[in-house]
Amino acid sequence: MSAVVPAAGLPGAGGAGFAADAAHLARAVELATANVAAGGGPFGAVVLLGGAEVGAGQNRVTRDNDPTAHAEVVAIRAACAALGTFSLAGATLYSSCEPCPMCLTASLWARVARVVYAADRHDAARGGFDDLAFYEMLASDRSTWSTPVEHHVSEAAARPFDTWLASRTRVEY
């Protein structure tokens, strides 16, 4: 599983690893700040693998009318496209802000080895973003959520998984 490490609490603070993390976080913050100047949201992210930047992203939600186009998702997509793979095993994701639940989960799906961020969910909330509220909602009982998420039993529900398991051409992920 990926480790989410607040920048202030990085292991080995003061060492070479800390200096490299600080530099990559500065790049993510630079991307976020430039994005605000260009009319976008205050989020930036970079993906590094083997010490090299393989993907970068800025929040594109309003530019692209895509609520999933968060900086981390954009950076993950760019890194996967550049590397020709859906797995970023061994990579580190640096983000200008603590990833929201969607971005954190995208990092886990991408098999990112480590996530490092600068600002946190409280900073995002101060800026008017829902990250903190979503984290709190996900920690509460589903019956209290403002958006119902309902399970409906269907005879065909398992068919796609049965087909997947029977497929000789499936690509595990």
Side-chain angles (χ1 to χ4, degrees), residues 32-52:
T33 305
N35 201 47
V36 171
F43 303 96
V46 294
V47 176
L48 271 83
L49 183 61

Side-chain angles (χ1 to χ4, degrees), residues 9-105:
L10 288 172
F18 182 79
D21 285 344
H24 300 308
L25 283 173
R27 166 95 167 107
V29 169
E30 176 185 298
L31 287 168
T33 305
N35 201 47
V36 171
F43 303 96
V46 294
V47 176
L48 271 83
L49 183 61
E53 185 176 307
V54 294
Q58 295 168 302
N59 183 283
R60 298 294 190 217
V61 171
T62 56
R63 187 195 80 175
D64 294 353
N65 293 318
D66 179 355
T68 68
H70 290 201
E72 297 89 343
V73 172
V74 173
I76 288 168
R77 289 173 181 163
C80 288
L83 297 171
T85 182
F86 55 82
S87 175
L88 296 176
T92 300
L93 172 69
Y94 292 92
S95 180
S96 64
C97 187
E98 180 178 9
C100 73
M102 176 185 70
C103 293
L104 179 57
T105 304

Side-chain angles (χ1 to χ4, degrees), residues 81-172:
L83 297 171
T85 182
F86 55 82
S87 175
L88 296 176
T92 300
L93 172 69
Y94 292 92
S95 180
S96 64
C97 187
E98 180 178 9
C100 73
M102 176 185 70
C103 293
L104 179 57
T105 304
S107 300
L108 297 173
W109 275 112
R111 307 301 190 236
V112 168
R114 186 166 167 247
V115 175
V116 184
Y117 60 87
D120 67 17
R121 63 184 80 173
H122 300 282
D123 296 311
R126 187 176 62 80
F129 294 89
D130 293 332
D131 304 46
L132 177 61
F134 290 154
Y135 270 107
E136 289 172 351
M137 183 194 80
L138 290 170
S140 68
D141 186 87
R142 196 179 276 190
S143 66
T144 66
W145 293 7
S146 58
T147 301
V149 178
E150 304 168 351
H151 176 220
H152 287 270
V153 178
S154 164
E155 284 184 33
R159 188 178 310 139
F161 298 103
D162 294 338
T163 304
W164 166 260
L165 291 170
S167 174
R168 294 181 189 267
T169 61
R170 75 175 182 256
V171 177
E172 301 286 344

